[in-house]
Amino acid sequence: MPDFAVIAGCALAGILYGLLGSFSLARNQALLGDVLSHAAWPGLVLMLGLTGSRNFAILGIGACLAGMAGMAILDLLGRGSNRLKPDARLALVLSGFFAVGMLLARPVQSIRPGSQGHLQAFLFGQTAALVWSDVMVIALVLALSLVFAASRWRDLTALCFDPVWRQTTPASNMATSPLLDTILVLGIVAGLPVAGVALVSALLVCLPVTARVLTKRFLPGTGLAMLLGGLLGASAPWMVMGLESLAQHFHGDSTLRLPTGPVFVLAGSICAAGALAFRYLARSRAKATGAINHAAN
Amino acid sequence: MLPIEWEVLLLGCLTATACGIVGGLALLRKQALMGDALGHSLLAGIGAGFWLLGSSRSPWLFPCAVASGLFAIMLVEFLAKQLGGNQATALGLIFPAFFSIGIILISLAPKSAHIDLDRVVTGNLDLAPLDRLMVDGHDYGPRVAWSMALALGFIGFYLAAYWRHLHWILFDPAGAHAMGLKPDRALSILLLLTTCVITLAFETMGTVMVVSLLVAPGATAWLLSRNLTNYLLFTVAVSLGAALTGRFATLAIDASTTAATSCAALALFGTAFLLAPQEGLLARWRASIKIRERLDARLILVHLWHHEIRGDSEIECLASALTHHLNMPEVRLNKALNRLVKDQLAEKNGPLWQTTTAGTLLGRSLVEDDTGSRED
Amino acid sequence: MLPERYPAAPALDVEDVTVVLGDRTVLWDIDAVVPRRTLCAVVGPNGAGKTTFIRAVIGLLQPISGRIRIMGESFAQACRHVAYVPQRSGLDWDFPATVLDVATMGTYTSLPWWRQLGNEQRRRAKAALETVGLSDLASRSIGELSGGQQQRVLLARALAQEPELFLLDEPFQGVDAASEASILATLTSLRDSGRTVIVVHHDLHTVAERFDRAILLNVRKIADGPVSECMTESNLRRTFGARVGFDERNTDPRSMATDA
């Protein structure tokens, strides 16, 4: 039986990803999350080096600042030469911030002995180490995001669907877009202990993609993505346990540890693949029947 | 035999050069993120090969990894079509899924055949030379160095074979096809080479930091060069520079050579981004100020000319009213007017500003040239 | 209601506007006036700066000189009374929304963010859909619409905003004939009810027949005014340049440059 804190943390993180992912998918920023999570990495490392704290709430502050810096540099690169295409800018920021974090990692480990394992947990997500204070951080960010989304829902819809038109309405005075970016950074950082730097962004994509295939409106779609995220998150620790014992049964090695992130992501990806396959089959069947009807006529 | 420090340096140079070239070519095709996707996807092949072969040292892991990378790219292209051409979403769905499969398979493998999960993401250039190429008990140096040198050889052969048609193939595949050049085959070979290089570099650079070696040299070179030859030369130079700087930096500070090489590549890019003679941020900023000043003068000239031919210059060209009509701050306006007077394009005649003969001609040609340039 | 601070001001007053994109001057020193209660076309060849003109009017681009007044006020003050209909192709039609959702979007701006959508907003959205003839498709997903229907949804959203000034960017591009006729009829009736409508357009045929005024644009303003006055042969030739296949035997402006 997994720890209750682990289940709660994963479920809350899943709900959070479903919500934030719906917005970033609708704004065609599926890869921004990937860049931001890697950008948060040097912040985590540096904060650990500076404070020596193991408290995620403190490390998270560093990660958020680094994430914001990543977003600012992405913006700066966009102001430079036109020869720098958007995909190149994303790739440079992603790998650059991660490399800086890795450069700092060894010096930090030498001044803070024993921190290596702690940092590793953030790479792939190590929910076994999840404690109630981490869960509280996730819950707090989720609450903040929910309040923000609920209060600004209409403006968010307009921003996601037609930002240019929104700019011409009185709503353009509201700072919804920078707030959404900030919340995205907060959400990504809050989810790091669950899914890890490498895989947080995947959940921002696969949950809303699944929901989008199954619904045709934004609000129910977002709700569905959150529901799916919550369900998968709550069941991920069990899946991890199942897979671990399966592997143990297979080769009898009981010391192995499976990180939660990949399992969560794989479950989400399977859902997305299932939904897309369902749509693909439905479409090709519709095409086939259309062709038959056409021939019959 | 080389001492191990020099082997690390040699390996870094080989890896950086190979990555720089294939990444640079991918960058020209706007596929900078493909390297990231490949680097993550090949882990599924390694994980699967691991379970099937029961060893982390089998040479068959390499084809497994390459195959899973290629398979992931094919899936991305198929899915992007399904999603209405949205490649970013397709990438965001496929490569984490492959990556997850890889991590799960590796984590669940028995400890006896252990690979360190962290090394997957972080790579370790410093330890790579420990894996020696032994033939008949003879030590021929690090195995990865040999494979990377072989890959570089293939890349060189590819460039030599396709050199004359490379422009067409990269810039306009459809046009190349119309010329009978078989760009699909050329691009498929390039993809295969890219996948092989990333798979080889994976051990030394990890899945994430290999991306900076793939993208940064090409991006730097693009800011500095105007043609393909220079572009590739700059790419190679930046790659080698990154490898050397990275290696020597780690002699001074205790850090991972992989990260240092990666950071060095990005630092070189950052320098070019800020300081490149034409495409750099500073140069562009300075140029835009100059352009803006010249433009202010020209737009006043056009304004004066317009209203002179329209015959309402008594209202529109009053010195006291220009700042109101053009909605331009006094300082900017006066600067521009001074410039016009200095160039003898406009003059003040009583309360009115007027164009000189040269000014009239320039005003007309400015507007009509801009109109004309759009006609064809 | 009406911004009656300047009741006599024209719907749109553009004065000496120059717009630069990068290092290219896209519009040179434009002066143009559009009185209220008119149906006005902005006409010019591709790359003449028509879309730039509209974008400058609605504040998406900052001109480097000149001023733009909408009903006597700056755009920021007047934006409550302006509705912009963007080019259909710039939007992601896979966005999960129904036809009614998009129309309702037009009423968002009339409400402060803490208020829920009420019956009034729903009524306005439905009435707008009724006007453009899409009531039957209200619960249809927007991805399933044809090009003409998509354009009508965007028009419905603008109608739901209940503005005084409509700005439409190429509303007839890739639109079937039936939708084009229906959109034109809607625009005409808007003009008749006292609104001002400005349309970026390149089909000279419909301009000559259905519009009151035109602004001929090709980087600079060639002419503006009532259609009968400004759509002259020489003005059109100056606007479209050598690209107008001008036929000496046929001097009717309607037959010219429909493809430009």
Side-chain angles (χ1 to χ4, degrees):
Chain A
M1 172 79 195
D3 191 17
F4 186 60
V6 176
I7 298 172
C10 290
L12 290 175
I15 299 173
L16 183 62
Y17 295 139
L19 178 65
L20 296 177
S22 295
F23 296 130
S24 51
L25 185 70
R27 300 178 85 192
N28 271 328
Q29 294 178 331
L31 292 170
L32 183 66
D34 198 24
V35 176
L36 293 180
S37 68
H38 285 86
W41 176 246
L44 274 178
V45 178
L46 199 62
M47 209 59 173
L48 186 67
L50 289 177
T51 64
S53 164
R54 299 288 170 90
N55 188 341
F56 177 58
I58 291 173
L59 299 184
I61 294 171
C64 282
L65 292 176
M68 308 260 187
M71 208 174 266
I73 288 192
L74 203 55
D75 188 56
L76 180 76
L77 291 183
R79 287 162 195 270
S81 169
N82 304 333
R83 295 190 186 182
L84 220 51
K85 308 295 175 210
D87 60 331
R89 301 200 290 259
L90 291 173
L92 284 166
V93 174
L94 179 151
S95 60
F97 271 76
F98 190 76
V100 170
M102 277 301 162
L103 191 68
L104 295 172
R106 208 182 283 173
V108 164
Q109 278 157 15
S110 65
I111 53 168
R112 305 281 177 196
S115 63
Q116 193 180 7
H118 196 63
L119 278 178
Q120 277 172 10
F122 286 111
L123 276 181
F124 302 111
Q126 190 60 272
T127 40
L130 206 65
V131 292
W132 274 110
S133 69
D134 301 348
V135 180
M136 291 317 288
V137 173
I138 301 175
L140 194 72
V141 175
L142 176 61
L144 202 68
S145 319
L146 280 174
V147 169
F148 170 70
S151 64
R152 292 284 173 91
W153 181 257
R154 290 192 302 257
D155 198 30
L156 282 168
T157 318
L159 183 71
C160 291
F161 174 59
D162 192 351
V164 176
W165 170 78
R166 177 187 169 275
Q167 202 63 37
T168 69
T169 66
S172 60
N173 293 332
M174 296 205 282
T176 307
S177 177
L179 278 176
L180 181 58
D181 288 342
T182 314
I183 297 257
L184 185 64
V185 173
L186 283 178
I188 283 173
V189 169
L192 287 180
V194 171
V197 164
L199 288 164
V200 159
S201 66
L203 293 170
L204 290 171
V205 181
C206 64
L207 298 173
V209 163
T210 314
R212 193 182 252 210
V213 172
L214 300 177
T215 55
K216 59 175 185 179
R217 299 188 66 194
F218 195 42
L219 184 59
T222 309
L224 188 62
M226 288 161 68
L227 182 72
L228 190 69
L231 286 177
L232 288 179
S235 47
W238 265 290
M239 290 189 263
V240 170
M241 251 178 42
L243 282 169
E244 275 174 353
S245 60
L246 196 70
Q248 234 173 72
H249 181 73
F250 205 73
H251 51 59
D253 189 342
S254 61
T255 54
L256 47 85
R257 274 254 162 268
L258 180 59
T260 337
V263 177
F264 196 165
V265 168
L266 193 60
S269 304
I270 290 170
C271 287
L276 285 168
F278 171 74
R279 186 174 74 171
Y280 180 66
L281 289 178
R283 274 189 187 169
S284 50
R285 188 178 303 162
K287 223 181 261 173
T289 35
I292 290 166
N293 290 343
H294 193 68
N297 289 341
Chain B
M1 273 316 300
L2 288 167
I4 187 153
E5 287 82 8
W6 289 97
E7 280 180 357
V8 171
L9 180 65
L10 177 72
L11 191 51
C13 288
L14 287 171
T15 308
T17 313
C19 287
I21 295 175
V22 292
L25 294 178
L27 192 69
L28 289 177
R29 303 198 58 230
K30 301 190 187 63
Q31 291 183 330
L33 287 164
M34 199 183 65
D36 190 32
L38 276 173
H40 282 85
S41 309
L42 54 86
L43 205 63
I46 291 181
F50 212 52
W51 275 80
L52 291 176
L53 307 163
S55 148
S56 63
R57 299 183 51 84
S58 162
W60 292 104
L61 277 181
F62 180 73
C64 285
V66 171
S68 91
L70 290 175
F71 182 53
I73 292 292
M74 275 159 55
L75 265 183
V76 166
E77 290 192 351
F78 172 74
L79 194 62
K81 259 184 221 153
Q82 292 301 311
L83 293 170
N86 192 338
Q87 194 165 22
T89 310
L91 276 176
L93 268 178
I94 296 292
F95 82 79
F98 273 67
F99 190 56
S100 304
I101 294 175
I103 295 175
I104 293 173
L105 287 175
I106 292 173
S107 310
L108 291 180
K111 279 268 152 71
S112 51
H114 186 70
I115 3 177
D116 190 358
L117 202 50
D118 289 338
R119 254 183 86 179
V120 164
V121 182
T122 61
N124 201 329
L125 200 51
D126 303 289
L127 296 183
L130 297 183
D131 185 10
R132 315 298 294 183
L133 180 71
M134 305 288 272
V135 180
D136 297 337
H138 267 288
D139 181 356
Y140 285 95
R143 195 156 57 160
V144 198
W146 285 104
S147 353
M148 200 51 101
L150 192 66
L152 258 178
F154 277 117
I155 293 169
F157 184 69
Y158 177 86
L159 288 177
Y162 280 105
W163 184 248
R164 280 188 305 144
H165 304 308
L166 210 55
H167 281 95
W168 274 98
I169 291 165
L170 294 172
F171 176 63
D172 182 7
H177 187 78
M179 287 169 68
L181 286 180
K182 295 202 174 49
D184 290 345
R185 197 173 60 188
L187 292 175
S188 305
I189 299 175
L190 182 60
L191 178 64
L192 183 67
L193 277 174
T194 311
T195 317
C196 290
V197 168
I198 294 175
T199 310
L200 288 173
F202 156 80
E203 195 178 331
T204 48
M205 294 304 294
T207 54
V208 183
M209 281 181 284
V210 73
V211 176
S212 43
L213 277 196
L214 287 167
V215 181
T220 315
W222 209 345
L223 295 175
L224 297 171
S225 55
R226 283 164 187 262
N227 62 47
L228 192 59
T229 316
N230 281 350
Y231 175 76
L232 284 175
L233 289 177
F234 270 118
T235 306
V236 173
V238 174
S239 306
L240 289 174
L244 291 169
T245 323
R247 182 66 199 125
F248 288 114
T250 46
L251 297 179
I253 54 164
D254 173 37
S256 130
T257 310
T258 307
T261 307
S262 188
C263 286
L266 287 150
L268 288 173
F269 165 76
T271 316
F273 178 76
L274 292 175
L275 302 177
Q278 267 154 16
E279 297 290 326
L281 200 61
L282 279 178
R284 283 167 61 89
W285 183 56
R286 219 178 285 156
S288 78
I289 289 179
K290 254 192 197 144
I291 288 174
R292 187 49 63 92
E293 283 177 357
R294 199 180 63 179
L295 210 68
D296 275 351
R298 290 184 162 191
L299 85 89
I300 292 170
L301 189 68
V302 170
H303 177 81
L304 297 177
W305 171 69
H306 253 168
H307 291 289
E308 278 164 17
I309 59 169
R310 245 179 249 162
D312 53 358
S313 54
E314 288 82 6
I315 311 163
E316 294 275 348
C317 304
L318 267 176
S320 53
L322 266 182
T323 175
H324 169 78
H325 282 298
L326 291 169
N327 196 13
M328 197 188 263
E330 198 91 34
V331 185
R332 238 174 88 195
L333 186 78
N334 287 337
K335 206 169 177 183
L337 284 171
N338 286 339
R339 197 183 160 117
L340 284 178
V341 172
K342 206 181 83 190
D343 296 346
Q344 297 189 327
L345 294 170
E347 60 201 8
K348 199 170 177 187
N349 185 1
L352 291 187
W353 278 92
Q354 275 182 346
T355 55
T356 61
T357 322
T360 312
L361 284 174
L362 181 61
R364 179 188 298 149
S365 70
L366 280 175
V367 171
E368 275 165 12
D369 283 356
D370 265 340
T371 319
S373 69
R374 263 147 257 253
E375 303 274 308
D376 32 51
Chain C
M1 266 323 286
L2 267 173
E4 287 306 338
R5 211 188 303 176
Y6 306 100
L12 176 67
D13 184 1
V14 175
E15 203 184 338
D16 299 319
V17 163
T18 299
V19 181
V20 176
L21 294 180
D23 50 2
R24 294 200 333 167
T25 311
V26 186
L27 290 174
W28 268 118
D29 201 47
I30 306 288
D31 288 286
V33 174
V34 180
R36 296 197 191 189
R37 293 171 179 256
T38 49
L39 184 53
C40 174
V42 179
V43 182
N46 283 334
K50 300 178 304 249
T51 296
T52 308
F53 178 74
I54 289 288
R55 289 180 148 248
V57 168
I58 56 179
L60 290 176
L61 290 173
Q62 205 57 47
I64 65 162
S65 82
R67 70 182 73 234
I68 296 168
R69 295 266 160 221
I70 293 167
M71 292 169 277
E73 295 181 307
S74 73
F75 178 76
Q77 291 163 319
C79 68
R80 251 168 222 293
H81 307 283
V82 180
Y84 165 63
V85 179
Q87 284 190 22
R88 186 172 54 89
S89 53
L91 292 176
D92 174 15
W93 291 94
D94 286 331
F95 188 82
T98 62
V99 169
L100 185 62
D101 288 340
V102 176
T104 315
M105 225 175 261
T107 66
Y108 287 0
T109 53
S110 60
L111 276 179
W113 59 263
W114 61 87
R115 291 269 307 277
Q116 283 296 306
L117 285 179
N119 288 331
E120 164 64 11
Q121 280 72 33
R122 249 167 257 135
R123 184 198 59 75
R124 265 161 66 178
K126 284 188 179 142
L129 284 182
E130 184 75 49
T131 312
V132 299
L134 286 179
S135 302
D136 299 343
L137 304 179
S139 58
R140 185 77 67 90
S141 169
I142 53 169
E144 300 165 16
L145 299 181
S146 73
Q149 289 166 339
Q150 288 175 351
Q151 192 64 58
R152 276 144 71 192
V153 176
L154 293 183
L155 181 59
R157 180 178 66 181
L159 289 171
Q161 286 178 261
E162 299 189 340
E164 288 303 313
L165 174 63
F166 288 80
L167 293 154
L168 294 88
D169 194 356
E170 297 277 11
F172 303 117
Q173 203 159 50
V175 161
D176 55 291
S179 285
E180 179 173 337
S182 134
I183 293 172
L184 257 175
T186 312
L187 297 181
T188 312
S189 73
L190 281 171
R191 188 266 324 269
D192 295 341
S193 67
R195 318 289 163 81
T196 313
V197 183
I198 300 176
V199 182
V200 169
H201 196 28
H202 56 229
D203 179 6
L204 292 182
H205 203 82
T206 39
V207 173
E209 276 179 0
R210 307 290 297 269
F211 286 69
D212 310 330
R213 293 178 70 93
I215 299 173
L216 300 185
L217 215 61
N218 189 353
V219 182
R220 63 181 171 134
K221 187 196 75 179
I222 308 293
D224 74 326
V227 166
S228 53
E229 285 172 26
C230 72
M231 300 267 286
T232 63
E233 177 196 320
S234 76
N235 280 344
L236 286 174
R237 205 200 290 266
R238 279 164 66 210
T239 312
F240 290 93
R243 293 180 63 186
V244 181
F246 187 68
D247 188 343
E248 286 295 331
R249 288 159 298 175
N250 187 353
T251 48
D252 181 3
R254 285 177 220 164
S255 63
M256 287 182 291
T258 41
D259 59 337

